[in-house]
Amino acid sequence: FIHWKPSAMQFEGIYTPVVTPYFEDFSLNREGLAQTIDHLISAGVHGLIIAGTTGEYYAQSAEERIEMMALAKDMISGRLPMIVGTGAIRTEDSIAFAEAAKDVGADALLIATRLGRPSNDYLPRHYPRRSPREFQDDAGLRAADHLRHMGR
C-alpha cells in the first residue's frame, strides 16, 4: 500500500474535472489541454480533477494516463490543487495509478469504484482499511454513500 501523508487539505469551492481534448487521430491535444486548464483556472475554480469520471481515462492506456497526470501538473504549475482520478477495474491498476499520481505531485486522489453493484466480499478486498464500517449485505449502497460524502 501507498504510504503517503500529504498535508491536511480543505476541499472548499469548485473542483472541476478536466475534459481530455484529442485530435481526430485520437492523440492527445496538448495545446488544447493547456488552453482548457488555463480557461478553468481563469474562470476561478479552486481545483482541477485530472482523469476523473469525465476525463476519458477509461479509453487511455496506462502510459497515456500517467503522461496526462504529469502534463497537467506541469501546466497547472502550482496555481491550484490537482486531484488525480486513480480508479480502475483492477485493484492492481488503481494502486499503480495512485503511486504514479503521488510521484507527479498530485495533491489528492479520486478513487471511483467499478460500475455495477459489487459483491459483499469485493469492497473489503478492493479497499482494505478504507471504510469506517463493516461491509454486509448492503455493501454497495453503503460504499457508494461513503464515497459520495468523502471530503465534506
Side-chain angles (χ1 to χ4, degrees):
F1 289 97
I2 300 167
H3 299 287
W4 183 21
K5 295 187 180 192
S7 61
M9 184 174 180
Q10 296 294 321
F11 292 93
E12 297 176 4
I14 299 169
Y15 286 71
T16 188
V18 176
V19 176
T20 309
Y22 290 99
F23 290 111
E24 287 185 26
D25 68 356
F26 305 109
S27 62
L28 178 64
N29 180 342
R30 287 174 173 76
E31 183 178 332
L33 179 62
Q35 290 172 354
T36 299
I37 288 172
D38 287 341
H39 172 73
L40 292 169
I41 292 172
S42 68
V45 301
H46 299 94
L48 296 176
I49 304 169
I50 304 301
T53 57
T54 60
E56 293 75 45
Y57 73 88
Y58 53 85
Q60 295 174 330
S61 69
E63 294 80 15
E64 291 170 325
R65 197 164 164 188
I66 292 168
E67 175 189 17
M68 175 89 157
M69 295 175 196
L71 283 171
K73 184 66 176 179
D74 287 343
M75 292 172 180
I76 293 168
S77 300
R79 294 179 282 174
L80 44 72
M82 179 180 85
I83 299 174
V84 174
T86 62
I89 291 177
R90 292 175 359 111
T91 302
E92 301 90 335
D93 294 338
S94 186
I95 291 169
F97 292 136
E99 289 172 341
K102 175 187 173 192
D103 291 345
V104 301
D107 297 292
L109 304 178
L110 170 69
I111 305 169
T113 62
R114 66 187 180 131
L115 298 177
R117 183 179 170 100
S119 66
N120 291 341
D121 63 342
Y122 170 80
L123 289 169
R125 283 196 326 266
H126 195 73
Y127 298 103
R129 294 180 274 173
R130 296 292 183 233
S131 176
R133 305 176 216 158
E134 292 290 319
F135 292 108
Q136 295 175 358
D137 290 336
D138 62 346
L141 296 175
R142 286 188 291 118
D145 184 59
H146 173 66
L147 292 173
R148 189 172 29 259
H149 291 94
M150 284 178 58
R152 288 191 181 175

